[in-house]
Amino acid sequence: MAAPPGLPRAEEAPTSEPSSDSRAGHLSFCTKLCYGIGGVPNQVASSAIAFYLQVFLLDVAQIPAAQVSLVLFGGKVSGAAADPVAGYFISRSRRTGSGRLMPWVLGCTPLLALAYFFLWFLPPFASLHGLWYTTFYCLFQALATTFQVPYTALTMLLTPSPKERDSATAYRMTLEMAGTLIGATVHGLIVSSAHRSNRCEDAVLPEPVAVAPDATRLYSIAAAVVAVTYPVCSGLLCLGVREQPDPAAAASGLGLSFLAGLGVTARHPPYRKLVVSFLLISSAVQVEQSYLVLFCTHASRLHDHVQGLVLTILVSAVLSTPMWEWALQRFGKRTSALGICVMVPFAILLAAMPTAPVAYTVAFVSGVSIAVSLLLPWSMLPDVVDDFQLQHPHSPGLETIFYSSYVFFTKLSSAGALGISTLSLEFAGYKARACKQAEEVVVTLKVLIGAVPTCMILIGLCILMVGPTLKVPSQDTSRRQSLHRRTSYSLA
């Protein structure tokens, strides 16, 4: 099949001999599977952290809410700062016998496993709990970023065949979604008995109870199980995947630093609109996930449904992803974005009527909305980059800067949202492991689970919908450019 006439000659060359190229760049099922498995540990760990770290720090480690806000804020900021730093050093590293990217993945693996385990470990010195968890959460976030950057970039060095790269990316996304589901499920099943309220049923006064030895032991077991996935999956990645030499080392935007490229991209109006809108939406999703367990534990009688609700959200998100991929193609991206606001009335309903049937309905609808909120920005970013290149045809390629700066700002916004919201619990008078929290704490949790995500989502959608639709290149050219970019970045 002939290449479209508008494509440059450099892109026409691979299509001249499709059979020989496809055979030379063919990836086996084993290679694709091993490559996909390499991304599982980070998703398993991130899923467990998203749902359970906050309640662990507050109720098991018994850290004051103000210190918990600093832990969460510091960890997210360290992960955001590690993005450009990791990209800088990795892009300037030399190729070794195992490749240029693989040594970074393997080098981070043992440190990541240890950092994750100690993140859930309860040290004997109570006075330094805040410092302990801040240190290991910051270390984990920085190492996870340093692991993820070369791993996702490895896609481009698997094969010269775009079709095979797309296929490998599909394997990666599927297994990463499975890892997200497995992480929250396995971790939740192990620690579920630590959050049951049987000991508080007969309590008259809202006095705190001692930390149950079983709680610390269960969290340590869950941490060990997740930590083991790092060396196992990284070993399979190393054994099953061979990194190919990079034929085009002079990649896009190589002559610009991160800050210089950030200044160029920030002046592009469609990019600013996309970033601001999804900063609000992604922060709303983070707040909803982080406070679900606390809301069920302290603001409703849903203690025994925590694991079921978490599982419902994740299963709903995974199963609805193919539907949203079809909707993006059928109805367009801006129309599909309205699916995010479906969770708004249900979130308010949960805060007003925290019963089990309502909670499971909200969990299912939230999963559907979360799926489209994760897909949309990575689907719209290529259109923004195409629009930028149309307006600045002679500027250096800045695809990497667009993506890395979006991740950078997303992590910073999540840090601010989680830090400020957790600090509000301190002002409300939250008491660790109290059988009954003060009414101010209950109201605060209802606001955090209902009103806060609702406002952030609605404001984000209003910003996204304002203005004309982007004019992008022809469908074939845009599709090839978009697929090329998406293979290097994670949807998780």
Side-chain angles (χ1 to χ4, degrees):
M1 181 177 178
L7 292 177
R9 292 182 180 180
E11 295 186 7
E12 293 177 1
T15 62
S16 59
E17 294 179 2
S19 59
S20 60
D21 283 351
S22 61
R23 291 173 184 172
H26 177 71
L27 296 177
S28 66
F29 169 78
C30 181
T31 298
K32 296 175 186 177
L33 183 63
C34 290
Y35 173 67
I37 289 174
V40 169
N42 258 357
Q43 306 309 317
V44 171
S46 297
S47 179
I49 286 173
F51 285 101
Y52 291 100
L53 179 61
Q54 194 170 31
V55 71
F56 168 78
L57 295 176
L58 288 170
D59 285 354
V60 179
Q62 296 191 1
I63 301 177
Q67 292 186 28
V68 173
S69 69
L70 292 178
V71 173
L72 298 177
F73 180 80
K76 291 290 185 179
V77 169
S78 67
D83 270 300
V85 174
Y88 176 84
F89 285 105
I90 291 171
S91 65
R92 284 158 178 78
S93 61
R94 295 183 178 181
R95 181 175 174 83
T96 65
S98 57
R100 184 167 62 91
L101 301 177
M102 193 69 76
W104 287 90
V105 174
L106 297 178
C108 290
T109 296
L111 300 176
L112 258 175
L114 289 174
Y116 183 84
F117 177 79
F118 285 116
L119 179 61
W120 302 92
F121 179 77
L122 193 67
F125 36 85
S127 60
L128 296 178
H129 277 183
L131 180 62
W132 174 277
Y133 291 110
T134 301
T135 300
F136 280 103
Y137 190 43
C138 291
L139 183 62
F140 171 80
Q141 288 289 348
L143 287 171
T145 298
T146 309
F147 178 97
Q148 192 71 13
V149 168
Y151 169 71
T152 51
L154 185 62
T155 312
M156 303 305 296
L157 302 182
L158 293 177
T159 171
S161 170
K163 181 179 179 180
E164 289 298 303
R165 288 199 296 262
D166 295 341
S167 178
T169 301
Y171 276 78
R172 172 170 64 84
M173 292 179 180
T174 301
L175 289 171
E176 283 182 346
M177 288 183 180
T180 301
L181 181 60
I182 292 171
T185 303
V186 172
H187 187 100
L189 287 174
I190 295 174
V191 306
S192 58
S193 60
H195 297 289
R196 290 175 182 168
S197 58
N198 295 333
R199 61 184 178 277
C200 292
E201 289 178 354
D202 298 329
V204 178
L205 298 175
E207 293 295 328
V209 295
V211 179
D214 283 347
T216 58
R217 180 177 61 85
L218 291 173
Y219 270 97
S220 295
I221 293 173
V225 170
V226 174
V228 167
T229 63
Y230 276 101
V232 172
C233 295
S234 296
L236 291 174
L237 174 68
C238 183
L239 292 175
V241 175
R242 181 180 179 184
E243 180 182 336
Q244 302 296 324
D246 189 357
S252 61
L254 196 60
L256 289 177
S257 67
F258 177 79
L259 293 178
L262 185 61
V264 175
T265 58
R267 290 193 292 269
H268 189 53
Y271 182 69
R272 289 201 304 265
K273 183 176 73 171
L274 181 72
V275 167
V276 172
S277 62
F278 278 102
L279 289 190
L280 292 168
I281 293 171
S282 62
S283 297
V285 171
Q286 285 278 335
V287 170
E288 185 86 12
Q289 287 180 328
S290 297
Y291 288 96
L292 176 65
V293 177
L294 280 174
F295 174 82
C296 293
T297 304
H298 299 298
S300 63
R301 296 182 178 273
L302 299 171
H303 316 83
D304 298 330
H305 298 278
V306 169
Q307 180 60 22
L309 293 173
V310 171
L311 188 61
T312 301
I313 291 175
L314 294 176
V315 170
S316 172
V318 171
L319 295 181
S320 61
T321 297
M323 179 197 72
W324 285 118
E325 291 176 344
W326 171 84
L328 290 176
Q329 298 295 327
R330 179 65 177 83
F331 302 107
K333 297 168 185 176
R334 293 182 67 171
T335 303
S336 299
L338 297 176
I340 301 174
C341 66
V342 173
M343 66 182 290
V344 167
F346 291 93
I348 298 175
L349 181 63
L350 177 62
M353 298 176 56
T355 61
V358 171
Y360 279 101
T361 303
V362 172
F364 178 81
V365 175
S366 297
V368 174
S369 295
I370 288 172
V372 67
S373 72
L374 295 177
L375 281 174
L376 262 179
W378 301 104
S379 177
M380 298 179 76
L381 264 174
D383 296 340
V384 172
V385 177
D386 290 340
D387 180 76
F388 178 85
Q389 291 178 339
L390 282 175
Q391 298 183 25
H392 306 83
H394 302 295
S395 65
L398 296 174
E399 293 92 340
T400 302
I401 301 295
F402 272 103
Y403 280 87
S404 60
S405 59
Y406 174 78
V407 174
F408 177 78
F409 285 125
T410 301
K411 290 183 178 180
L412 280 183
S413 68
S414 298
L418 291 178
I420 294 173
S421 58
T422 307
L423 196 61
S424 66
L425 290 179
E426 176 76 8
F427 295 145
Y430 182 90
K431 294 183 180 180
R433 296 188 70 83
C435 291
K436 184 179 180 181
Q437 296 289 345
E439 185 63 26
E440 292 82 358
V441 176
V442 175
V443 172
T444 301
L445 287 172
K446 289 184 176 182
V447 171
L448 291 174
I449 205 74
V452 171
T454 295
C455 294
M456 297 174 76
I457 288 174
L458 293 179
I459 295 173
L461 285 176
C462 289
I463 295 173
L464 186 65
M465 294 299 174
V466 172
T469 305
L470 288 177
K471 295 181 180 180
V472 297
S474 63
Q475 184 176 358
D476 292 338
T477 304
S478 179
R479 180 177 178 273
R480 290 185 62 174
Q481 292 174 343
S482 299
L483 289 175
H484 178 80
R485 295 186 188 101
R486 289 172 191 164
T487 54
S488 296
Y489 300 92
S490 171
L491 285 181

